[in-house]
Amino acid sequence: MGRIRATTLLPARCRLETDVTLLTTTLAGVVFGLALAAPPGPMNAIIAEESVVRGWSAGFWAGLGAMLADVLFFVLTLLGVVAVIDRYPAVRPALYLAGGLLMLYFAVGAIEEARAATSFTDGGEVDSKGFRKTFALSLTNPYQIGFWLTVGVGLLESGTLDVFAHVPGVGEVLAGSLLVETGSPALLLGFFGGIAVWIVVYPAALSSAGRRVDALAPVIAALSAAVLAGFGALFLVMGAAQLL
């Protein structure tokens, strides 16, 4: 009887371990997605501008433009096309220069928005250009491309990542307690799910704040212009430095 019980418990324990690994892998994907989408930068500057000037839907569409670019990079990484960039040294500085010029161009538009926006407008302009802006910037963003050349490749390769194994001091004790399966559909689903959560919640928070404080709209538009101008200038300097 003891052997029978032990035998019946083993499949149940294996299923439980598989379910836990699947859950942790999905949650890890969400964290990776948020880590890519959430940091301050030109994409979030455009999302912020669109959200407070035109409303949540415009901010969401701006975020969707950046997310679509990540889906495209994901497909190109699968096909091995993105790795071609590493073979041609001149491509990266060209991307910096093109991205920098685009950011400066969008910064001028954000300054005009800051001057024109006297209050929060919920969908004041149906024809929002936020989607096209973020999509175009993403395609020329060396940081985003660099992510898919490094971390993105690691996410796609089949394997197992022991999250706590290399943590100093507790690595030996916690080794094997949190496993993430790289290259699994759960990880990729969580990754794009994390980005989706950000492009829904971030514009909603900004538009909600904009409704309460009308003066917030021109202020955020001005800050967006400053962020775009700063990153644009930085990208131009980095591109020029790599060419010299």
Side-chain angles (χ1 to χ4, degrees):
M1 290 293 291
R3 291 181 181 178
I4 294 175
R5 288 178 182 174
T7 304
T8 56
L9 284 175
L10 283 175
R13 183 178 299 176
C14 290
R15 286 196 298 271
L16 178 60
E17 291 176 353
T18 301
D19 291 341
V20 170
T21 301
L22 183 65
L23 177 61
T24 56
T25 298
T26 304
L27 292 177
V30 172
V31 172
F32 281 132
L34 288 172
L36 177 65
M43 307 305 162
N44 281 327
I46 293 176
I47 294 173
E49 175 197 351
E50 293 289 323
S51 299
V52 299
V53 174
R54 297 181 178 87
W56 175 85
S57 60
F60 170 75
W61 278 103
L64 199 61
M67 183 176 177
L68 181 61
D70 278 314
V71 172
L72 179 59
F73 285 134
F74 163 69
V75 174
L76 293 177
T77 302
L78 277 178
L79 298 175
V81 176
V82 177
V84 174
I85 295 175
D86 272 351
R87 300 177 188 174
Y88 301 96
V91 174
R92 200 174 289 267
L95 287 172
Y96 275 113
L97 294 174
L101 290 174
L102 270 177
M103 289 178 199
L104 291 179
Y105 174 75
F106 293 149
V108 173
I111 292 172
E112 294 176 354
E113 294 282 5
R115 291 175 178 174
T118 56
S119 64
F120 175 86
T121 56
D122 192 5
E125 284 189 30
V126 178
D127 185 23
S128 171
K129 297 180 180 179
F131 180 91
R132 283 169 282 178
K133 288 180 181 179
T134 54
F135 184 69
L137 276 182
S138 296
L139 294 182
T140 57
N141 187 353
Y143 292 145
Q144 205 159 343
I145 295 172
F147 172 88
W148 285 104
L149 284 171
T150 53
V151 180
V153 172
L155 294 178
L156 294 177
E157 291 181 349
S158 298
T160 302
L161 174 63
D162 193 335
V163 176
F164 292 135
H166 304 289
V167 178
V170 296
E172 294 182 0
V173 178
L174 298 178
S177 60
L178 185 57
L179 300 177
V180 173
E181 292 184 359
T182 58
S184 70
L187 183 65
L188 297 173
L189 180 64
F191 175 79
F192 286 107
I195 297 177
V197 167
W198 179 254
I199 66 175
V200 169
V201 174
Y202 182 50
L206 288 171
S207 62
S208 177
R211 287 190 184 94
R212 296 192 185 99
V213 185
D214 280 345
L216 191 64
V219 171
I220 290 184
L223 289 174
S224 299
V227 170
L228 287 169
F231 272 94
L234 175 64
F235 274 37
L236 287 178
V237 170
M238 292 178 69
Q242 290 185 21
L243 286 176
L244 297 178

